[in-house]
């Protein structure tokens, strides 16, 4: 009985965490609706003159996308005498020669090529090193898989209407949204972040984050906040909190788009997810004490807690998913009262709220309710299922971040499949050694398919949707992981 009570306790605590997180998401959704009406009221500056700007392009072994990146950067519409473009190249392969050859096509543009032979600090180290040589008063940053809008600087700089504004972040859009089911599901998640979460936080002056790319900083803000640090895997989130805790204000503009490529295979998605979730947990440990002890409004602290610890939801889902089997068994065998068993389903309202956030962002991003209605009925449950199926992989990353285990910055492979120049099987950067957790994902899929069978056989349907989504999610993650691994052979 002690073990049973322990399972019930784990289930209740996990569902309570998810429920509280869903309340934060619901509040962001409410503020998102308010923010839509306030977007046009944000003051902008009349540009009497254009300041000096440095555009930083951090690159590491990007054979397939670096030429596209340079071509897009060369098209940036800005006074040439006020523009410096830095290629911060840490590459160890043919990307080095490819960049140098490509830059010769633009002798009229102020490209500065900086190649480091020692990749100290990874991306954070490259940005910090480039900042020492940056001539600009403002620093725009684009990762290798982005295609900067030619008018990016003309659109963003007027929003530095006050000396207190330290950063302007734009919304990511997706070059290959419709490439595959996997890219569609990733777009589902990112649209919710860049519409509901960023807008919902920004309108109530809560902490938002620079997303690592597609944004522009005031150089003095970066320096005042302590420059780039490499002690977390998410240097962007870390600097964002340090800057805002010092009083700098951030502006988020969803109407300014920064197109980028989505990872088209599961191994690349997992690499990216691991870095984001572990880095988020590392930043939570680094900043939470300072945020809670600082003189800030309750709403700001509440959303900072939800923001910094949002990746911990994967630990909660992992714990809830397996403890729910014990709770189900106790319910059907009469070890706990039937009313208590049914009451456990009340916590599922948290999943309903979270699903509502994604639903609104889906329709808003497409600006068409009728055309999107048919797609959302199958994409939303599939997205939620795959998110649950990533719980084991991401929970490991979060646990490492919370407990202080360090790991190197692993880049996400880029592909540029839209160009037609190369396919998945010819990509040199796919070298996915399958981890033990992938086998466990296959095992978990079998366990939850077994639970689905038992639900149907015994006529217990309270937890059937939850276990069905887990079975489907783990199956898809397991299958697509092995498919990605086979490409690297």
């Amino acid at each position: 009985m002690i073990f049973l009570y322990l399972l019930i306790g784990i289930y209740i605590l996990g569902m309570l965490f998810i429920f509280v997180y869903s309340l934060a998401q619901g509040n962001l959704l409410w503020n998102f609706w308010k923010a839509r009406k306030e977007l046009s009221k944000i003051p902008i500056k009349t540009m009497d003159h254009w300041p000096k700007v440095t555009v930083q392009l951090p690159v590491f072994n990007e054979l397939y996308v670096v030429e596209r990146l340079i071509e897009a950067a060369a098209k940036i519409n800005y006074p040439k005498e006020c523009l410096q473009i830095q290629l911060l190249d840490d590459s160890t392969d043919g990307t080095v020669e490819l960049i140098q050859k490509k830059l010769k096509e633009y002798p009229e543009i102020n490209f500065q090529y900086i190649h480091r032979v020692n990749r100290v600090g990874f991306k954070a180290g490259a940005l910090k090193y480039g900042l020492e040589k940056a001539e600009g008063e403002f620093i725009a940053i684009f990762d290798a898989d982005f295609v900067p809008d030619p008018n990016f600087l003309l659109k963003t700089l007027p929003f530095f209407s006050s000396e207190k504004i330290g950063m302007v972040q734009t919304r990511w859009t997706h070059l290959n949204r419709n490439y595959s089911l996997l890219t569609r599901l990733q777009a589902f998640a990112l649209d919710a972040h860049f519409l509901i979460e960023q807008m919902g936080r920004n309108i109530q002056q809560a902490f938002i984050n620079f997303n690592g790319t597609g944004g522009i900083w005031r150089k003095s803000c970066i320096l005042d906040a302590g420059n780039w640090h490499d002690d977390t895997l998410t240097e962007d989130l870390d600097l964002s909190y340090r800057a805002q805790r010092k009083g700098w204000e951030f502006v988020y503009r969803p109407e300014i788009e920064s197109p980028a490529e989505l990872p088209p295979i599961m191994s690349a998605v997992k690499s990216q997810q691991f870095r984001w979730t572990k880095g988020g947990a590392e930043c939570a440990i680094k900043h939470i004490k300072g945020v809670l002890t600082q003189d800030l409004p309750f709403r700001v602290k509440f959303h900072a807690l939800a923001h910094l610890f949002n990746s911990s939801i994967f630990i909660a889902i992992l714990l809830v998913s397996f403890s729910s089997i014990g709770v189900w068994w106790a319910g059907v065998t009469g070890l706990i009262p039937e009313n208590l068993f049914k009451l456990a389903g009340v916590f599922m309202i948290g999943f309903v709220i979270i699903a509502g956030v994604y639903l609104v962002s889906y329709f808003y991003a497409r600006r068409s309710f009728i055309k999107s209605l048919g797609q959302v009925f199958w994409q939303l449950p599939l997205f939620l299922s795959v998110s649950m199926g990533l719980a084991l992989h991401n929970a490991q990353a979060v646990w490492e971040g919370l407990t202080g285990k360090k790991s190197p910055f692993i880049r996400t492979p880029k592909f540029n499949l839209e160009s037609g120049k190369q396919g998945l099987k010819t990509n040199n950067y796919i070298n996915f050694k399958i981890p033990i957790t992938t086998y466990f994902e296959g095992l978990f899929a079998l366990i939850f398919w077994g639970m689905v069978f038992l639900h149907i056989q015994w006529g217990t349907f309270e937890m059937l949707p939850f276990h069905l989504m887990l079975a489907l999610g783990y199956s898809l993650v397991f299958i697509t992981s092995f498919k990605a691994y086979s490409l690297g052979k």
Side-chain angles (χ1 to χ4, degrees):
M1 289 298 291
I2 295 177
F3 181 68
L4 174 61
Y5 289 140
L6 179 63
L7 282 179
I8 294 173
I10 291 173
Y11 179 82
I12 291 175
L13 287 175
M15 291 302 288
L16 187 60
F17 180 90
I18 294 170
F19 180 70
V20 173
Y21 173 77
S22 75
L23 293 181
Q25 293 296 97
N27 179 263
L28 292 178
L29 180 59
W30 172 258
N31 280 280
F32 160 77
W33 285 112
K34 291 168 58 178
R36 292 182 309 124
K37 302 174 182 178
E38 301 293 327
L39 282 175
S40 61
K41 298 180 182 179
I42 295 179
I44 60 174
K45 180 181 180 181
T46 301
M47 304 301 294
D48 298 324
H49 72 281
W50 294 102
K52 187 86 174 187
V53 176
T54 296
V55 177
Q56 292 186 319
L57 309 176
V59 171
F60 175 65
N61 292 352
E62 303 291 3
L63 285 173
Y64 307 112
V65 296
V66 72
E67 289 181 297
R68 182 183 67 185
L69 175 67
I70 293 172
E71 290 170 2
K75 294 177 183 177
I76 290 177
N77 183 17
Y78 201 72
K80 294 293 187 290
E81 67 276 9
C82 299
L83 180 63
Q84 175 194 38
I85 304 176
Q86 291 183 332
L87 259 298
L88 306 177
D89 183 22
D90 287 355
S91 297
T92 57
D93 65 359
T95 305
V96 175
E97 292 75 23
L98 193 63
I99 291 175
Q100 292 175 334
K101 180 181 178 182
K102 190 68 178 178
L103 292 182
K104 291 179 181 177
E105 299 179 15
Y106 305 100
E108 75 284 2
I109 297 176
N110 183 17
F111 274 110
Q112 182 183 30
Y113 179 68
I114 301 174
H115 182 242
R116 297 195 306 165
V117 294
N118 189 336
R119 201 180 173 212
V120 175
F122 305 105
K123 180 182 175 181
L127 293 171
K128 186 175 182 179
Y129 187 73
L131 197 65
E132 296 175 3
K133 305 175 184 298
E135 302 168 358
E137 178 185 349
F138 294 90
I139 310 293
I141 301 171
F142 291 98
D143 282 349
D145 50 343
F146 275 68
V147 181
D149 178 353
N151 293 320
F152 177 86
L153 298 179
L154 302 181
K155 292 177 179 179
T156 54
L157 285 169
F159 288 100
F160 287 92
S161 56
S162 164
E163 292 297 319
K164 295 181 179 180
I165 295 175
M167 193 278 297
V168 175
Q169 174 67 49
T170 65
R171 179 167 64 96
W172 294 6
T173 54
H174 320 295
L175 294 168
N176 59 337
R177 173 193 293 273
N178 296 320
Y179 176 79
S180 68
L181 174 62
L182 191 58
T183 56
R184 288 188 179 97
L185 297 183
Q186 291 175 79
F188 220 116
L190 288 170
D191 286 346
H193 169 68
F194 280 97
L195 289 171
I196 309 300
E197 293 181 347
Q198 290 284 62
M199 289 176 66
R201 292 188 184 111
N202 200 208
I203 192 65
Q204 52 185 321
Q205 297 179 318
F207 289 97
I208 69 168
N209 60 293
F210 168 59
N211 293 106
T213 175
I216 179 168
W217 288 82
R218 193 184 295 272
K219 183 179 180 180
S220 58
C221 173
I222 298 176
L223 296 175
D224 181 60
N227 215 320
W228 298 100
H229 290 183
D230 60 7
D231 55 347
T232 74
L233 292 180
T234 47
E235 72 293 323
D236 45 7
L237 179 62
D238 173 41
L239 181 59
S240 297
Y241 267 77
R242 284 188 279 119
Q244 289 170 102
R245 286 177 58 194
K246 292 202 70 172
W248 290 95
E249 298 175 3
F250 285 6
V251 172
Y252 175 67
R253 299 306 300 182
E255 78 281 6
I256 306 176
E257 299 179 356
S258 292
E261 173 187 283
L262 294 165
I265 60 174
M266 182 55 78
S267 60
V269 173
K270 281 185 169 181
S271 174
Q272 188 179 71
Q273 286 283 308
F274 193 93
R275 190 174 70 249
W276 287 354
T277 52
K278 181 173 181 176
E282 289 174 328
C283 285
I285 297 301
K286 182 174 181 177
H287 290 288
I288 194 59
K289 181 179 178 180
V291 169
L292 293 180
T293 56
Q294 195 168 340
D295 184 18
L296 297 167
F298 171 78
R299 70 175 187 281
V300 174
K301 292 183 178 182
F302 175 69
H303 281 294
L305 272 169
H307 188 195
L308 289 169
F309 286 97
N310 63 0
S311 59
S312 298
I313 196 171
F314 290 106
I315 293 179
I317 290 173
L318 187 65
L319 293 176
V320 164
S321 61
F322 281 94
S323 62
S324 69
I325 298 175
V327 173
W328 168 81
W329 175 255
V332 297
T333 57
L335 294 176
I336 59 175
E338 183 178 355
N339 290 338
L340 182 61
F341 174 59
K342 292 182 177 180
L343 182 63
V346 172
F347 285 108
M348 291 292 176
I349 192 173
F351 288 101
V352 175
I353 296 173
I354 293 172
V357 169
Y358 288 106
L359 191 64
V360 171
S361 68
Y362 183 87
F363 286 127
Y364 189 82
R366 285 148 190 78
R367 301 187 182 279
S368 172
F369 179 80
I370 301 299
K371 291 181 180 180
S372 304
L373 190 60
Q375 295 179 345
V376 78
F377 276 124
W378 62 270
Q379 286 193 22
L380 177 59
L382 203 57
F383 162 73
L384 295 174
S385 297
V386 172
S387 297
M388 293 179 185
L390 284 167
L392 175 63
H393 175 270
N394 288 351
Q396 178 190 358
V398 174
W399 183 252
E400 288 185 9
L402 294 176
T403 56
K405 181 179 179 180
K406 295 298 180 182
S407 57
F409 185 103
I410 305 298
R411 62 179 287 280
T412 304
K414 316 298 191 309
F415 296 86
N416 193 11
L417 297 175
E418 292 67 43
S419 68
K421 295 180 180 179
Q422 59 93 30
L424 289 175
K425 291 186 177 181
T426 59
N427 191 297
N428 293 345
Y429 302 126
I430 300 176
N431 184 23
F432 180 60
K433 183 179 180 181
I434 196 159
I436 187 67
T437 51
T438 300
Y439 295 100
F440 276 102
E441 287 163 352
L443 175 62
F444 291 176
L446 293 176
I447 290 173
F448 287 109
W449 280 122
M451 289 303 303
V452 169
F453 174 78
L454 289 176
H455 283 307
I456 296 173
Q457 186 179 43
W458 291 18
T460 56
F461 301 113
E462 291 86 354
M463 291 187 177
L464 175 59
F466 184 47
H467 289 156
L468 178 60
M469 292 175 72
L470 285 165
L472 181 61
Y474 277 116
S475 296
L476 288 171
V477 170
F478 174 74
I479 292 169
T480 53
S481 294
F482 265 92
K483 184 178 179 181
Y485 171 65
S486 67
L487 293 171
K489 289 293 189 180

